[in-house]
Amino acid sequence: MRFVLSSIGMVLILALTFAAFGLDVGKSLALVAQGAFDPAYGWPTTLTRATPLCLTALGVAVAWRAGTYNIGGEGQYLVGALAAAACAAGLGGASPALWAPVLLLGGVAGGAAWASLATWAWLKRGVQLVVSTILLNFIAVELVAFTVRGPLQEPTHARPMTAALPNSAMLLQLVRGTSLHTGVFVALVAVVAVWVFVAYTRQGLVLRIVGANPRLARTERLPVSKSQFLAMAISGGLCGLAGAVEFSGVTGRLSDGFSQNWGFLAIPVALLGGLEPLWVGVSALYFGALFAGTENLTRYTPIGNTVVPVVQATAVLAFLGLGKLMQRIRRPVEEPA
Amino acid sequence: MADNKGAEPAKPAPVKTTLKVALLTPGPVSDSGWSALAYDGLKAIESDLKAEVGNQEAKDAQIKDSMRSYAQKGYNLVFGHGFEYNEPAIDVAKEFPNTVFVSSSGGKTAANVGAFRFALEEGFYLAGITAGELSKTHKVAMIGGPDVPSIRSTFKAFAAGAKSVNPDIEVIEKFTMDGQDVAKAKQATLAAIDQGADLVIHQANAAAQGVFDACKEKGVLAFGANLNQNDNPSGVVLASAVIVAKPAFIELAKRVQAGTYRGEITTAGMTEGAIMFTFNPKLADKVSPDIRKKIDIASLSIINKALKVPMDSF
Amino acid sequence: MTEVVDILRFAAPIGLAATGETIGQKAGVLNVGLEGMMLAGSYAAVIASGASGNPWLGFGAGMVAGAALGLVQALFTLKLAADQVVAGTAVNLLAMGLTSALFRLQFGTSGKLLSVPTLPKFAGGLDLVLIGGLLAAAAGAWVLAKTKFGLALRACGEYPSAAQAAGFSVTKIRLIAALAGAIAAGAAGAYLSLGISGSFAENMTAGRGFIALAMVTFGRWRPVWVAVATLFVGAADWAQFSVWAQNPALPPQAWRALPYVLALVVLVCAGRGVAAPAALAAPFQEEA
Amino acid sequence: MVHQHFMLVPEFTARENIALATMGNTRGVLHPDELSRTAQTWAKKLGWELPLDTKAGRMPVGVQQRIEILKVLALDSQVLILDEPTAVLSPAEIADLFRVLRQLAGEGRTVILIAHKLSEVLSVADRVVVLRQGRKVAEAAAADVDAAQLETWMVGGRDPLQLAESHGGGEVVLEATAVTVLGDRGSVAVDGIGLECHAGEVFGIGGVDGNGQLELAEALAGVRPVSEGQVRRPDKTGFVPQDRRGDGLALDLSVQENLAVGMMDDHGLRFGPFMVPARLRASAQNLVSEFSIKVADVRDRVGGLSGGNQQKVVVSRVLNQNPELLVVMNPTRGLDVRATDFVHSVIKHAAANGAAVVLFTTDLDELDLLSDRKTYMSGGTFTQTMGGATV
């Protein structure tokens, strides 16, 4: 029900935005639908876009559920990709079967380490996560810029990027003629794993308790700092994994433009998914479709990519407004005095 | 579909219906520079050849999807405006033998993949000569936006030009790492002028106004780049190193339309009329006839290929 | 001396935005849409200055644009009690898309190097906004510390129920604080385009809004310290272009990362300090 | 109006808090001194010491209470409404407060006191109104009614409370020797205290809030580290904190999840690293019915329950772990008579079943009713007197 409503709402929003931009509404909507849902390449592109978004948003969700407000997803994503690229450089002649797992694990480790820097500064030195993770984002961008011009630059040293990953080492292409790769399964597994972890494991419960009220966790002698550290490490690991998946699934290279802001966009995606892993997966699909659709739109309309952020913004605001309205209707029932 | 057998690989056939041309740019086409000039070329193809055109700002992860989408829709030419489109084109082109993929620079080719590069270095070399002759402080500056090979290559040419007439000249180089941050461009330029530079060239795209503004504030002269920026309201642009994209783009599109395009790496420079170095007539008094003569001689040498301007390959 | 003025000028946009944001955060309003408001301010300022030929009109237009976006955001965060991070992100996207779309609509898809009348400067490079901005920041600090409004505002950020119990409308006070922050962000953007660049380019704020956000925390929610933090980053920024040339031993990326690394080191060394306002980013529903 | 939950900004000084409450509008320059002058006058008149420059969050609750009352008085209110003002006060403070209330009433002001404790109501009020479920059920002059009558009106009659007998005298379960504990700001809150608690006894510790009880309780329960000395406690130690909403519950989580905090390591409910949802739910439902917690569904937010039921959630969770040592702090603060009775009976029951119970309370009646042995705390050490009233 919720989805039928929000889908109708979304179409309305798109139509209004297109009209405001002076586009042919029918044609534009068709282009968006085609880009997002065409069976030959729409769906695959939607899934491709949703993959990194889903992983980073899961990362945000885990951290926020534990009360650790990680907004450094972008930095962790970049460092994850960087770690994967470093692993690739180090692997050299190793057997192709080894590459994917090493790269992905490398990404997890890189992202987790980057997040842990912030957690350390917070738990040991009281530096707020909100500020340290923002600062680490900026630093990660420069770190990537440096490495692709320095230690990890491709062999000719002419271009600011790493050497291309050999095709045999890339994650397998799933649908011919699209970018869809096996990384989508990684995201799927992550959704289920995070869901089970948060909802059904002892550690997940501890994490939620720490997030909901750290003082309760303290009175019950639960390991508060340790749980927060773990939550941030998982969060960073997921963001790093996203970077590694995008690196070894889509680009095969690391360069300045590697980041598509997935780390920042993860926050609204996670929040709109209510920080519930399964809904975060759905929310990521939604946004994946939105990206795939609007990308297609910009190809064939003269308006260019300026319409994309406007559509996204309107969609997010409409979700917020709609959600709040529905909550208001529900609230009186919910709270007996 | 002409499927050739034998040694000759498959090549795109002539276009019988409406020509369809797509442009991929690494930045916004509104950047008054690198991406804008390609966009203007695309618009020229649209109006002169009555072609259907599309364009998209596509980076890293989006590049292949974008190429495939255009190819699937039957686009005949997909032009990626940067070296970074070369390798993805090689991959994607295998799936779409009837679409020609061309990138701005890049070293790999296939039957339907090529690279096409403007030798802006030639214009920068001439600007360098002018700067080397005019500088009183013996210091000149280059302000770059993003630190990318194409920009570095032009800067090398500028430095070489300056040193060719003034071997002791110091060339200051600064990158803001951003083609849109006008304030940073201005800050970098001010810093360069503070360090003694009295002539400044840029590769700052949309942020170029910051360079010109800084020059105006400090009373030094600047060079325009990519587009003819001599009429910039700041009034400090002494000359511009210009890419004349339109004829080159139309020529390329025509060859694709005729089915005569072969995957190759070509360079369009002053010889082909694709690069110009033009003085600002309003500031004519700043340049002595002597210097103009030197520039004319150098231009001729470049056109005659007697003078080879340094150019990085990437 | 020129160096000092230069640092001041180039740090001013971040400083203005950060000071405004400090006021907002003191009232419990976290404005993630700062970047978008700055960008809108830059755009409106250039358009108005170009159209009217009067940079002061442009500057005013910049503030109005900031305020307009601030109102949109407040509608969601204060009225609908929506998540402040999400609403702010949306406002950023909105500003980015709209300014780019309008820019292309007006000046052609391939853009144009705009040059519009800039704010007049005194000898030495100072200008009215710079001096006014310093005064405004001081005034802001004074209002926070020494006026009744400031006290009520801080109460809204610490314990809104107490402010309400004392008879004040939390929503109204937060709205005023949020608007003050939004106007400051608009002014910051306007100064970026009219005080420094004399031009507009798509997305020209280039992340300054996010840096301003970081500065508020770095300055520990104290207006004076926020200003100091901004100047510190401004100086590091300046050094990137000035000192770098003399010391190419470090790669340029290291210079660019330096302000953030230093900020982090300073925070780690300083250890625990003043905490954030207790009710920061927490929605407050007025009881009837 | 003096709220039960204080309307003081913890980060503000007393002066600023009074100024906030009394300034009335947001125009003009702030003169906290002027704004707090009336309050200061009142404080002098009432014989209260007013720490003007201390942050409210760092004051003992009794002092916070005074500031709340001064805020109201400074506004020259003719009608004062106090919601459960005595919940956090010592007997001496209560006596002092009542003296002030009488004084105010004597000056012609109207004082409305909302309270649960009947003896208090009768000792200070002129007229009593009983409300039950939003309805006025009775009204009388205080002189005309006694506690029994009031109680009948309030709860519609009830059986006299039957408490289990605890004897004490078992083995020593808890042993603290020369324990020094630091407060949140690093100052010494508990100063070299030693105590023993035996299986099967309730050891009561009375005293005015803010004299180190919180720190000692947390140290005994193992929540707060001791800086000097030693605490020997059993592994199975249960702790009922005084601030149940702040320390005892995660209000946004469900009843089930709040109960699960205490059942996580119950091996029947765990399968390796996983919690078995069905058994967790069943177990929670058992507790809910055993402790008659009023909740529609164990998946409901615990924040939506009444204070009494919230406390039951905390107590049931703690007792469900069959603690050998139970540390309880002000367990009935803010609860109504029935809930209070219930909590008293389960505490006593736990002791009768062999648990060692350390009870911290500011409520003298409660201390007397439950304790087998008792002492008082003042200034971080044990004394034999409480809040000025000699025992």
Side-chain angles (χ1 to χ4, degrees):
Chain A
M1 188 56 204
R2 181 169 152 189
F3 265 84
V4 178
L5 263 182
S6 38
S7 302
I8 294 170
M10 178 70 101
V11 172
L12 272 175
I13 291 156
L14 290 174
L16 283 173
T17 317
F18 298 151
F21 272 78
L23 297 174
D24 176 339
V25 173
K27 194 183 147 215
S28 305
L29 283 178
L31 280 170
V32 170
Q34 196 183 39
F37 306 117
D38 181 280
Y41 58 87
W43 267 114
T45 311
T46 291
L47 291 173
T48 311
R49 297 287 175 270
T51 298
L53 204 48
C54 177
L55 287 167
T56 48
L58 282 174
V60 168
V62 170
W64 288 35
R65 286 294 282 273
T68 47
Y69 295 101
N70 178 17
I71 50 176
E74 186 71 11
Q76 291 141 22
Y77 173 83
L78 283 174
V79 173
L82 188 61
C87 289
L91 274 171
S95 132
L98 263 174
W99 283 68
V102 171
L103 260 53
L104 296 191
L105 285 177
V108 171
W114 202 246
S116 299
L117 275 180
T119 333
W120 173 83
W122 177 45
L123 294 176
K124 295 287 172 209
R125 305 294 311 163
V127 183
Q128 267 106 3
L129 280 179
V130 175
V131 69
S132 60
T133 48
I134 289 185
L135 292 173
L136 284 168
N137 283 343
F138 289 121
I139 296 169
V141 170
E142 300 307 330
L143 193 62
V144 169
F146 168 71
T147 24
V148 300
R149 288 177 177 80
L152 289 179
Q153 193 172 20
E154 46 86 33
T156 69
H157 294 282
R159 305 164 169 199
M161 45 168 55
T162 62
L165 211 52
N167 266 331
S168 61
M170 296 280 288
L171 296 174
L172 289 178
Q173 195 184 26
L174 280 179
V175 180
R176 218 183 112 74
T178 72
S179 297
L180 187 61
H181 53 91
T182 44
V184 71
F185 297 123
V186 176
L188 203 64
V189 169
V191 168
V192 176
V194 171
W195 170 57
V196 169
F197 171 74
V198 169
Y200 297 111
T201 67
R202 182 188 187 279
Q203 189 58 55
L205 183 60
V206 171
L207 218 131
R208 278 185 294 139
I209 291 162
V210 169
N213 185 359
R215 285 171 60 191
L216 166 63
R218 174 175 166 273
T219 6
E220 285 295 317
R221 290 161 300 231
L222 297 173
V224 176
S225 303
K226 214 181 101 193
S227 305
Q228 287 166 332
F229 201 89
L230 180 77
M232 277 297 283
I234 294 175
S235 173
L238 282 164
C239 293
L241 179 63
V245 164
E246 191 76 347
F247 169 75
S248 53
V250 180
T251 66
R253 284 185 185 277
L254 191 60
S255 66
D256 287 333
F258 178 79
S259 161
Q260 307 270 328
N261 280 341
W262 297 132
F264 288 123
L265 292 164
I267 295 170
V269 171
L271 284 168
L272 287 174
L275 303 181
E276 288 288 346
L278 295 181
W279 285 112
V280 167
V282 176
S283 169
L285 261 185
Y286 235 77
F287 272 84
L290 191 61
F291 283 111
T294 45
E295 257 174 53
N296 196 50
L297 174 77
T298 65
R299 282 177 204 130
Y300 305 105
T301 46
I303 193 71
N305 60 346
T306 55
V307 74
V308 178
V310 177
V311 168
Q312 286 162 358
T314 333
V316 170
L317 289 178
F319 265 116
L320 283 183
L322 213 71
K324 285 295 153 186
L325 272 172
M326 280 160 79
Q327 213 176 62
R328 280 196 174 180
I329 298 162
R330 272 205 318 261
R331 181 161 292 158
V333 195
E334 219 174 64
E335 261 176 58
Chain B
M1 207 177 279
D3 216 338
N4 290 11
K5 291 193 178 90
E8 185 82 346
K11 64 184 184 213
V15 179
K16 304 235 165 55
T17 52
T18 311
L19 180 71
K20 289 178 166 184
V21 181
L23 169 72
L24 309 186
T25 56
V29 294
S30 60
D31 71 356
S32 303
W34 176 250
S35 298
L37 70 91
Y39 183 77
D40 288 339
L42 182 76
K43 294 309 268 186
I45 294 174
E46 183 182 27
S47 56
D48 288 17
L49 301 182
K50 303 280 172 279
E52 190 180 324
V53 299
N55 80 287
Q56 185 176 31
E57 189 185 329
K59 278 184 276 208
D60 291 61
Q62 300 164 345
I63 294 176
K64 285 185 183 176
D65 287 325
S66 187
M67 288 178 167
R68 286 194 185 103
S69 175
Y70 282 122
Q72 268 158 348
K73 293 244 171 173
Y75 273 66
N76 311 102
L77 169 63
V78 177
F79 191 90
H81 196 41
F83 67 88
E84 60 268 47
Y85 299 93
N86 182 239
E87 283 182 23
I90 293 285
D91 287 349
V92 173
K94 288 174 200 146
E95 302 161 20
F96 302 100
N98 268 330
T99 300
V100 170
F101 297 86
V102 179
S103 59
S104 299
S105 70
K108 294 189 176 168
T109 59
N112 56 339
V113 182
F116 166 90
R117 178 170 173 187
F118 290 112
L120 184 59
E121 285 83 352
E122 296 172 353
F124 268 60
Y125 187 85
L126 296 177
I129 294 176
T130 316
E133 289 285 353
L134 284 178
S135 175
K136 297 191 178 70
T137 57
H138 300 284
K139 283 178 184 171
V140 292
M142 314 180 290
I143 307 299
D147 175 10
V148 293
S150 54
I151 292 182
R152 284 203 172 265
S153 180
T154 54
F155 280 0
K156 279 183 194 165
F158 179 80
K163 288 199 167 134
S164 73
V165 293
N166 186 350
D168 297 327
I169 201 159
E170 187 187 327
V171 185
I172 299 165
E173 176 187 76
K174 292 186 193 299
F175 285 96
T176 66
M177 311 296 277
D178 193 313
Q180 263 111 291
D181 193 334
V182 192
K184 266 257 155 79
K186 182 167 186 178
Q187 196 176 12
T189 312
L190 287 177
I193 296 171
D194 278 349
Q195 283 158 31
D198 61 352
L199 281 140
V200 181
I201 196 161
H202 79 88
Q203 271 274 38
N205 291 338
Q209 195 61 45
V211 176
F212 297 149
D213 251 38
C215 291
K216 186 181 171 191
E217 214 172 286
K218 298 280 178 176
V220 307
L221 292 174
F223 294 96
N226 291 316
L227 303 174
N228 187 341
Q229 293 167 326
N230 289 348
D231 60 352
N232 186 277
S234 60
V236 296
V237 182
L238 178 66
S240 292
V242 185
I243 297 179
V244 187
K246 197 173 143 178
F249 269 82
I250 288 184
E251 168 67 16
L252 175 69
K254 276 185 173 161
R255 286 173 62 196
V256 170
Q257 193 170 28
T260 57
Y261 184 83
R262 297 292 172 270
E264 61 200 344
I265 298 175
T266 51
T267 305
M270 294 183 75
T271 319
E272 292 79 14
I275 300 296
M276 288 196 327
F277 183 70
T278 50
F279 283 105
N280 182 355
K282 284 188 203 137
L283 296 177
D285 56 317
K286 303 270 182 195
V287 189
S288 67
D290 194 35
I291 297 175
R292 280 176 192 275
K293 204 167 157 194
K294 276 191 178 164
I295 295 292
D296 287 343
I297 293 169
S299 303
L300 271 177
S301 316
I302 292 172
I303 292 169
N304 297 336
K305 314 233 184 234
L307 175 62
K308 220 167 151 29
V309 171
M311 204 165 160
D312 285 349
S313 59
F314 46 86
Chain C
M1 185 57 205
T2 357
E3 282 87 351
V4 176
V5 175
D6 268 359
I7 291 171
L8 213 59
R9 273 172 72 196
F10 286 98
I14 295 174
L16 268 172
T19 314
E21 178 61 10
T22 308
I23 293 173
Q25 291 201 7
K26 273 286 184 187
V29 183
L30 176 69
N31 179 9
V32 177
L34 208 56
E35 173 86 5
M37 292 173 194
M38 280 181 78
L39 189 58
S42 292
Y43 176 75
V46 164
I47 296 306
S49 174
S52 68
N54 183 341
W56 293 110
L57 267 179
F59 194 77
M63 294 200 279
V64 170
L69 274 184
L71 270 178
V72 171
Q73 188 165 324
L75 169 73
F76 282 91
T77 55
L78 299 180
K79 185 97 182 114
L80 295 172
D83 189 281
Q84 299 190 1
V85 177
V86 180
T89 309
V91 163
N92 281 336
L93 289 169
L94 195 67
M96 202 162 61
L98 281 182
T99 52
S100 299
L102 289 171
F103 174 70
R104 292 183 194 192
L105 211 62
Q106 281 169 286
F107 303 104
T109 312
S110 51
K112 190 179 175 217
L113 291 184
L114 295 179
S115 182
V116 297
T118 54
L119 300 171
K121 271 202 247 330
F122 308 133
L126 286 170
D127 58 53
L128 265 184
V129 175
L130 219 48
I131 296 164
L134 283 174
L135 291 177
W142 180 79
V143 167
L144 277 183
K146 300 285 180 199
T147 66
K148 291 181 180 180
F149 182 75
L151 187 71
L153 187 148
R154 284 183 285 138
C156 289
E158 292 288 349
Y159 190 31
S161 305
Q164 193 186 21
F168 303 114
S169 161
V170 175
T171 306
K172 198 172 137 195
I173 291 173
R174 282 188 169 180
L175 178 67
I176 295 171
L179 281 182
I183 291 170
Y191 188 71
L192 185 68
S193 59
L194 294 183
I196 298 179
S197 322
S199 180
F200 177 83
E202 286 181 32
N203 209 7
M204 69 181 285
T205 44
R208 285 180 178 79
F210 293 108
I211 296 174
L213 269 180
M215 288 307 110
V216 176
T217 321
F218 188 22
R220 304 295 171 98
W221 292 274
R222 289 179 185 148
V224 174
W225 284 107
V226 170
V228 170
T230 314
L231 282 180
F232 163 77
V233 171
D237 214 30
W238 172 83
Q240 175 200 335
F241 291 120
S242 306
V243 187
W244 171 33
Q246 276 87 28
N247 301 288
L250 278 177
Q253 291 82 20
W255 278 105
R256 288 170 54 83
L258 193 66
Y260 312 118
V261 175
L262 280 180
L264 203 56
V265 169
V266 168
L267 285 174
V268 165
C269 294
R272 276 161 225 280
V274 186
L280 182 60
F284 183 77
Q285 298 269 11
E286 305 244 332
E287 283 156 37
Chain D
M1 174 87 189
V2 176
H3 294 262
Q4 184 180 4
H5 298 287
F6 295 152
M7 288 299 162
L8 294 173
V9 180
E11 273 298 302
F12 283 7
T13 61
R15 200 196 304 272
E16 285 173 320
N17 267 302
I18 292 168
L20 177 71
T22 54
M23 65 193 185
N25 60 53
T26 52
R27 282 181 297 276
V29 180
L30 180 71
H31 297 292
D33 281 328
E34 260 167 52
L35 285 166
S36 57
R37 195 151 296 149
T38 328
Q40 288 181 51
T41 318
W42 269 108
K44 205 166 283 167
K45 194 165 154 191
L46 300 175
W48 281 346
E49 203 178 307
L50 190 55
L52 278 172
D53 293 312
T54 309
K55 286 187 177 175
R58 296 180 175 180
M59 295 173 185
V61 272
V63 181
Q64 294 187 28
Q65 172 80 276
R66 289 178 186 175
I67 292 172
E68 284 283 21
I69 292 170
L70 289 174
K71 270 164 55 176
V72 179
L73 290 176
L75 286 171
D76 199 27
S77 312
Q78 291 305 308
V79 181
L80 278 82
I81 306 173
L82 294 97
D83 186 6
E84 293 282 357
T86 61
V88 293
L89 302 183
S90 71
E93 284 173 324
I94 292 171
D96 185 45
L97 174 68
F98 286 174
R99 175 182 62 78
V100 169
L101 293 183
R102 292 286 347 159
Q103 191 179 336
L104 294 172
E107 285 173 14
R109 282 168 221 267
T110 307
V111 179
I112 300 174
L113 176 73
I114 302 168
H116 275 121
K117 291 192 114 184
L118 308 180
S119 55
E120 287 176 3
V121 171
L122 292 173
S123 72
V124 70
D126 295 310
R127 210 151 48 84
V128 186
V129 170
V130 178
L131 296 177
R132 205 159 81 204
Q133 288 173 336
R135 278 223 201 92
K136 186 164 107 175
V137 292
E139 181 174 349
D144 301 340
V145 289
D146 62 3
Q149 176 63 58
L150 266 184
E151 196 173 308
T152 316
W153 281 338
M154 279 171 72
V155 295
R158 62 164 183 171
D159 301 328
L161 183 61
Q162 296 286 333
L163 287 179
E165 277 295 307
S166 57
H167 307 284
E171 59 178 305
V172 174
V173 172
L174 170 75
E175 189 177 5
T177 35
V179 167
T180 297
V181 187
L182 302 184
D184 286 338
R185 280 171 297 136
S187 55
V188 172
V190 176
D191 193 6
I193 271 180
L195 71 88
E196 279 183 1
C197 189
H198 301 261
E201 74 165 344
V202 177
F203 181 59
I205 300 173
V208 183
D209 253 347
N211 275 291
Q213 295 98 319
L214 175 70
E215 289 80 3
L216 179 60
E218 290 188 345
L220 294 181
V223 172
R224 184 184 290 266
V226 296
S227 69
E228 276 169 52
Q230 274 182 337
V231 176
R232 187 176 62 80
R233 86 178 73 78
D235 286 340
K236 292 173 80 173
T237 297
F239 180 39
V240 178
Q242 72 165 343
D243 180 359
R244 59 182 160 270
R245 291 169 70 88
D247 288 319
L249 294 168
L251 297 174
D252 283 328
L253 296 187
S254 66
V255 171
Q256 180 186 334
E257 285 162 330
N258 273 282
L259 289 172
V261 177
M263 304 191 286
M264 281 191 297
D265 293 315
D266 206 325
H267 286 283
L269 305 179
R270 233 172 88 190
F271 179 75
F274 301 101
M275 309 294 304
V276 184
R279 284 190 225 158
L280 210 55
R281 159 102 42 94
S283 179
Q285 263 152 358
N286 276 344
L287 279 182
V288 163
S289 57
E290 190 182 331
F291 286 81
S292 50
I293 300 169
K294 286 205 188 84
V295 57
D297 189 316
V298 290
R299 284 168 299 185
D300 289 351
R301 260 181 87 242
V302 85
L305 302 187
S306 70
N309 281 306
Q310 288 182 351
Q311 182 70 326
K312 282 182 182 177
V313 172
V314 178
V315 171
S316 67
R317 176 179 71 215
V318 171
L319 290 180
N320 184 43
Q321 298 164 63
N322 295 317
E324 291 165 34
L325 169 66
L326 183 61
V327 180
V328 187
M329 197 169 182
N330 291 320
T332 59
R333 183 173 279 181
L335 301 190
D336 64 23
V337 184
R338 276 168 186 261
T340 301
D341 283 354
F342 182 84
V343 171
H344 284 165
S345 71
V346 292
I347 289 173
K348 213 55 186 163
H349 188 76
N353 279 357
V357 180
V358 182
L359 167 74
F360 290 83
T361 181
T362 51
D363 182 340
L364 270 186
D365 297 339
E366 185 167 83
L367 188 70
D368 289 337
L369 181 69
L370 300 181
S371 308
D372 297 307
R373 286 192 299 139
K374 63 189 171 196
T375 183
Y376 302 90
M377 246 184 122
S378 174
T381 54
F382 288 151
T383 62
Q384 281 312 308
T385 56
M386 174 169 178
T390 310
V391 181

